[in-house]
Amino acid sequence: MSDEPDDDGMMQPEDFPEEAAEDVAPAIGVVIQALQRDDARVVNSHLQAMTAPPARGDDIDQSFDREGNTLLHLALKHDAGKCVKAILEYGPSMTVANHEKQTPLHTAMHLSGNSKASRRLVDHAVDMLGKYRDLY
C-alpha cells in the first residue's frame, strides 16, 4: 500500500484505512475525489446518506484516512471551500483531532489562513462563538 497518491494526484481506495469495509472504501474514494474538485454536490449527497436513518454507524466526525483526518480536515487540506460549507451544515465537531493531534481549526491555520476553505471555517467558528456569547 502506497502512501503517495497516484500520478494524477487522486487517492485510491487502497489509500484508505484498512479497517474500512470493502463497500465503504469506494464511496470514500468518491468523496475524496469530490473534495479535490471542490464538488459540494457529491459531498453533500454523501453526508445525507451518512446521516439518514437507519443509522449505519457512520458519523460526520469519523476518520477518513490513515492519518485520522475527518471529512472536514480533508476538505481544508484540499482548500475545498464549497465542501467545507456543505460539511459545516451537518455540525461537525471542531475539537476532533487527527493522529497528529490537529483539530480542523489547527489544520486551517497551518495550511493558510488566506485559503477560501480556511476562511469559511474560521468565519463559522467566530459565528458560533458569537452565538454562545449571547447565552451568557
Side-chain angles (χ1 to χ4, degrees):
M1 186 162 36
S2 168
D3 286 340
E4 298 295 319
D6 65 4
D7 291 337
D8 66 1
M10 299 293 185
M11 295 179 76
Q12 301 301 310
E14 61 269 12
D15 295 320
F16 301 105
E18 291 178 18
E19 63 271 10
E22 287 181 20
D23 62 331
V24 174
I28 293 172
V30 169
V31 172
I32 298 300
Q33 290 176 359
L35 290 173
Q36 291 168 334
R37 294 185 315 270
D38 198 10
D39 186 344
R41 183 185 54 80
V42 171
V43 171
N44 195 44
S45 293
H46 178 73
L47 291 167
Q48 287 176 350
M50 279 177 58
T51 57
R56 296 181 4 210
D58 290 335
D59 184 274
I60 188 70
D61 296 315
Q62 73 181 19
S63 294
F64 271 75
D65 66 8
R66 289 186 304 265
E67 287 81 32
N69 290 306
T70 65
L71 196 55
L72 185 54
H73 284 100
L74 294 171
L76 289 160
K77 287 184 176 197
H78 290 291
D79 194 19
K82 292 180 221 167
C83 293
V84 167
K85 181 179 179 184
I87 294 165
L88 290 173
E89 291 177 14
Y90 287 85
S93 174
M94 299 290 181
T95 60
V96 172
N98 61 17
H99 298 322
E100 294 191 13
K101 304 198 183 327
Q102 299 290 310
T103 67
L105 284 169
H106 288 121
T107 300
M109 299 313 295
H110 284 286
L111 294 174
S112 169
N114 295 322
S115 76
K116 60 186 171 191
S118 295
R119 282 194 310 268
R120 279 199 197 270
L121 182 67
V122 170
D123 289 347
H124 178 78
V126 168
D127 289 346
M128 294 303 296
L129 287 172
K131 288 177 185 174
Y132 289 120
R133 182 192 69 218
D134 293 341
L135 295 175
Y136 297 103

